[in-house]
Each structure stands twice: as structure tokens, then as C-alpha cells.
Amino acid sequence: VKTAIRQARLLCQTILTQVIDKKQSLADCLAARDLPKAHQAWIKHICFGVCRWYIYLDDLLARLLSKPLPDKHQDVHLLLIVALYQLLHTHTPEAIIVNESVEMAQVIRKPWARKLINGVLRTFIRQRQALTTEVSLSPAIQTAHPAWLVEQLSQAWPQLVDAILQANNAHPPFSVRVNLAKISREDYMALLTKHRLTATAGERTPSGIVINDAVPVHDLPGFAEGLVAVQDLAAQLAAYELAPAPGQRVLDACAAPGGKTAHIAQLQPRLARLIALDKHARRNERVKENLQRLQVTAEVVCADAVDIDSWWDGQLFDSILLDAPCSATGVIRRHPDIKLLRQAEDVQKLVSEQRRLLNALWQVLKPGGQLLYVTCSVLPVENRQQIENFLANQADAELVPLNYLPATQAVGYQILPGEQAMDGFYYAKLVKRG
Ligand SMILES: C[S@@+](CC[C@H](N)C(=O)[O-])C[C@H]1O[C@@H](n2cnc3c(N)ncnc32)[C@H](O)[C@@H]1O
């Protein structure tokens, strides 16, 4: 047992190092490894939790160390961060956390660190009250967000910034999309009840369910047969807003991993064409897998959507979904590593990539056709301002109301994370004047 626990702790160390130092995505790092079954849930819990609270824990640890640990001892630093996370956020007895962490010094072959780890953790336990009140009162540290993001959110949402920061630290709901081509939402909910799982129907979408129990996806009734797909409630709105009609030519311009493509195909099996485009070959494999499991088809093409000559057959589209690459600041509760990976400079690059995509795709849209612009960002530069700029420069573009989201005075609709159990998404629908 002891060896297995050490192994699990070591895996957490390795994965978190890849995220924090090498800036790799947590989901990718977890997927790339064969996690031991017995400790899989624990490893994920620790990795997600540490990413969610890292910025806070790092500040706390700095107060416990007389001087920062040198770079070559980042492993010891991380070991302490994991232990502090456990002490603050889990029910594991303090003595076990301390003992296991001290033992890890041996595992990473730094026996000298035993004393340090022991000392730091015991000091924390003794002075917990004082230390946690002492940690910087800045909202960024308190809520473990990068300062640049808190600043941008404060400017964009002065009244709502605190609620957004809180929502980002909440545990995301487990949302699924029922495949209505195979089973009604009511019947699927009855099936869940039979399996002793409780669930709530999503308010805005006809197909969304939030499952209230923690259960591995593969254990959901009918998962392998494609009765359900894992998808956030806000993401499910894309296909409904697109409302694909028989005989149409539809383009999903940024399709991988294919969640929305599959939904479009399920919603309208009689399209003339459905092209799923993505520039990442590896991610396109995921599109194919997802389409196959859900037993729907689309033409999966690997190309840069902006480089129209490389993929377009010259026929205009009736409908285009642009689920644009974005800062993903609307899905932090689901991907807490975004707090550690995203930099302020990334946002400007993403804004220009989105602009390039909008301009290019507009050229392949039929007069009278529609383009649905979607992001999972909560930053106006990527959303409302992006679309305002586009409208100012494109004389034949017209903004039309959304069907599943409330009408407001603003350009497009911003769903904030947590709103009716949805992730933070932005939607805007544009029509090309004929
Ligand atoms: C938000 S994700 C799409 C999620 C997907 N629509 C779904 O629902 O499963 C954005 C995708 O855009 C792709 N992408 C980014 N720039 C692109 C470009 N210039 N051309 C094509 N795909 C691009 C990325 O590889 C990424 O898979």
C-alpha cells in the first residue's frame, strides 16, 4: 500500500511539473498516462485542486520559507504545495499528510529535505489561523488568479468580478447531452434513476442534463452506445442556434474534438454536406473517434481555415460555426490549469487569430447565410468588441437575435460561468445580407 501511495504522489509531482514548469495542459498530461486504477481519482483530485489553488498556495508557502527554494529544488517546492493543498482542502488527517510528505524526500532522493518538509508543515499546522489571515488580501491571491486576468475582469465586469472569480473556483457541474435522435431526455433521466443516479434537466437546452453524482463517464448508462455525450450546457446551444436544415451545406470551422460537429449531425441527418475542419491533425483524430462513437458522419478535414485555397471546393456555405480558439477564461472551473498557462500576451494573439478567421470565413458564406461566432471566453476583446469591430468593417454583415439566449442591448450574449449551471460562453449570430 505504501509503495502505491508513493507512486501516486510521484505521479502527481510529475504531472504538476509538466503543467507548472513546462506549460502543458493538465488534461493532456493526465490523458497521456496510464494512471493506476486504485489511485486514479485521488491523483486527478490532487492535480486539479493544486492547479485551482496554486497561486494562493505559492504565496502561503513563501511566507513559510525563510528564503525561496532554488530552481533545482522545484520538486521539493511542489511537494510542499501538494501537502498544503491537502491540509487546507482535504479531510486526510494532518499526521498522515506530514508523514507521507516527509517520506517523499526519500523517494525523490533528497533526504536532506525531510527536516525542511517536516518543519514547514508543522509550522503551518501550528500557525494555520494566523497564516491564512495573513496571506495577501489582494483578490488575485485570495482567489488564486493571475493578476492580469483579475485586472481585465475588473475592467470588463466591475459589478460581477467577485462572482466570476468565485465561480471559477467552484467545482464544475457534470453536464451531458442526451442524443435525442436515440432517446428522449425524459426517458434518459428515467434510465439514470434506475441506475440510482440523480440528475437535473438544463433550462436553456432541450438536450442538457446535469448529473448530480460523481460517476465515471463510461459508467453512464448507454455511454458506449452513444446515448449521451459529455458536453457543457452552454456548448450545447451552438447546434440549436445553428438550427441546420435539410439539404444545407454546413461548415464547422474549428471542430476538434468534435463535440459540436456531432451534435449538428445528430440534429440534422439530412444535410447536403457537413465539413469538420481543424488545423491540428492529432485533435482531428478525436473528432473521428467521437463521430464514430455517436454513430454520425461528417467530412473531417485537416487544414488552416484561414488558408481557404487549401481546403475550399468553391461552393458557398449556408451555415458556418466558428467556435474560435480563445483564452478559455470562461471554463476555468473546468480547466483550472488555464490560470497557470495563459498569459496576458496570449489574449492579443488570440484576438487577431479570431479576426483572421472571421474575415476569411465570411468569404465562403452564402448571401443570406449565417455565421455563428462562439467562444468560451469572458473577455470582451474576444467577444463583444471583436464582433463590434467586425460589424464596423463588414458592410454586408448584420447581427441577428439568438433563439435560445435572452435578448439584451449588448452585441451578442455573454454567458457568465455558473449562470444556470452553464460555463462562460459568448454567442453572436451574424447574417450576410443577400
Ligand atoms: C474551441 S476549440 C473547438 C471545440 C469544438 N468545436 C468542440 O465543440 O468540440 C478551437 C479549435 O480551433 C482549432 N483551430 C485554431 N485555429 C485554427 C485555424 N486557423 N484553422 C482551423 N482550426 C483552428 C484548434 O485546433 C481547436 O481545436
Side-chain angles (χ1 to χ4, degrees):
V1 181
K2 258 189 158 175
T3 331
I5 291 170
R6 283 184 194 155
Q7 214 52 42
R9 280 190 176 274
L10 203 55
L11 270 168
C12 287
Q13 286 280 122
T14 316
I15 291 166
L16 287 167
T17 307
Q18 284 179 302
V19 177
I20 294 161
D21 294 345
K22 309 230 167 75
K23 305 285 174 207
Q24 294 176 18
S25 109
L26 175 59
D28 288 353
C29 295
L30 286 168
R33 280 167 192 281
D34 232 347
L35 301 178
K37 244 205 146 48
H39 290 94
Q40 195 173 6
W42 184 83
I43 293 171
K44 285 187 183 168
H45 170 84
I46 296 290
C47 290
F48 273 87
V50 167
C51 286
R52 184 169 289 128
W53 289 106
Y54 185 84
I55 292 171
Y56 176 92
L57 298 166
D58 195 40
D59 189 278
L60 182 62
L61 180 55
R63 286 159 202 273
L64 284 156
L65 293 168
S66 49
K67 57 178 191 297
L69 285 160
D71 280 351
K72 62 176 177 185
H73 297 317
Q74 273 311 299
D75 47 0
V76 178
H77 177 265
L78 197 50
L79 220 148
L80 285 164
I81 293 271
V82 170
L84 289 175
Y85 170 74
Q86 285 189 288
L87 288 169
L88 280 165
H89 293 279
T90 69
H91 297 296
T92 311
E94 290 174 348
I96 294 186
I97 298 170
V98 176
N99 287 344
E100 286 183 5
S101 306
V102 169
E103 278 179 20
M104 285 304 287
Q106 214 74 41
V107 179
I108 60 170
R109 296 202 181 89
K110 293 190 176 171
W112 59 265
R114 291 176 67 99
K115 204 164 144 226
L116 175 78
I117 296 167
N118 192 45
V120 166
L121 296 182
R122 291 203 187 275
T123 308
F124 172 74
I125 292 167
R126 253 194 337 268
Q127 304 177 0
R128 179 179 180 136
Q129 198 63 42
L131 279 162
T132 44
T133 31
E134 200 181 279
V135 164
S136 164
L137 292 178
S138 90
I141 303 282
Q142 279 293 329
T143 64
H145 281 71
W148 70 265
L149 181 56
V150 174
E151 202 182 302
Q152 291 203 13
L153 289 173
S154 309
Q155 272 175 21
W157 309 100
Q159 316 285 321
L160 296 165
V161 57
D162 290 335
I164 296 172
L165 298 174
Q166 296 298 332
N168 288 348
N169 287 338
H171 286 267
F174 180 14
S175 311
V176 298
R177 182 185 83 233
V178 178
N179 182 354
L180 298 181
K182 294 199 167 180
I183 187 167
S184 72
R185 175 158 74 175
E186 271 179 0
D187 287 350
Y188 190 76
M189 287 183 73
L191 198 58
L192 287 173
T193 310
K194 240 197 220 158
H195 284 73
R196 296 177 188 282
L197 295 170
T198 61
T200 318
E203 286 182 41
R204 295 231 182 265
T205 80
S207 54
I209 295 182
V210 176
I211 297 174
N212 303 323
D213 307 279
V215 53
V217 281
H218 294 277
D219 293 352
L220 287 178
F223 181 77
E225 296 79 45
L227 289 194
V228 276
V230 175
Q231 192 178 42
D232 181 73
L233 299 180
Q236 298 183 29
L237 291 173
Y240 290 113
E241 286 293 351
L242 221 53
Q248 284 188 337
R249 286 172 52 84
V250 177
L251 171 68
D252 185 349
C254 290
K260 299 185 184 75
T261 315
H263 193 195
I264 295 167
Q266 282 171 356
L267 211 53
Q268 186 48 262
R270 289 186 294 140
L271 293 173
R273 286 188 84 171
L274 172 57
I275 297 179
L277 200 66
D278 203 282
K279 72 171 178 186
H280 284 119
R282 210 159 41 88
R283 287 173 61 82
N284 263 334
E285 291 310 308
R286 297 277 314 283
V287 180
K288 290 180 193 159
E289 281 164 28
N290 278 328
L291 292 173
Q292 196 166 25
R293 186 176 60 80
L294 297 169
Q295 296 157 32
V296 285
T297 52
E299 296 164 54
V300 181
V301 178
C302 186
D304 183 337
V306 176
D307 184 11
I308 292 173
D309 294 338
S310 74
W311 62 270
W312 189 45
D313 68 0
Q315 289 199 51
L316 297 168
F317 291 94
D318 298 287
S319 219
I320 297 176
L321 171 62
L322 172 51
D323 187 15
C326 71
S327 61
T329 42
V331 293
I332 287 178
R333 57 184 188 164
R334 236 174 253 291
H335 302 285
D337 51 322
I338 288 166
K339 287 170 163 182
L340 306 174
L341 302 178
R342 200 68 73 232
Q343 311 276 317
E345 310 82 77
D346 298 340
V347 178
Q348 272 322 311
K349 283 186 211 141
L350 287 159
V351 168
S352 45
E353 176 71 354
Q354 292 151 1
R355 188 186 320 118
R356 272 164 22 96
L357 280 160
L358 274 165
N359 290 335
L361 293 167
W362 197 251
Q363 299 170 45
V364 301
L365 184 65
K366 226 181 231 176
Q370 59 168 356
L371 184 148
L372 183 66
Y373 179 77
V374 183
T375 73
C376 56
S377 160
V378 287
L379 301 177
V381 276
E382 298 179 272
N383 298 338
R384 198 193 70 236
Q385 289 168 21
Q386 180 73 271
I387 297 302
E388 279 169 356
N389 285 341
F390 183 75
L391 288 165
N393 293 317
Q394 207 77 48
D396 59 352
E398 187 181 343
L399 190 77
V400 294
L402 295 155
N403 296 326
Y404 291 80
L405 289 166
T408 64
Q409 297 299 315
V411 169
Y413 189 86
Q414 176 73 63
I415 304 167
L416 292 175
E419 185 175 330
Q420 293 184 334
M422 295 186 282
D423 280 349
F425 269 70
Y426 173 81
Y427 277 88
K429 201 185 281 186
L430 302 164
V431 165
K432 195 174 198 169
R433 286 202 197 90

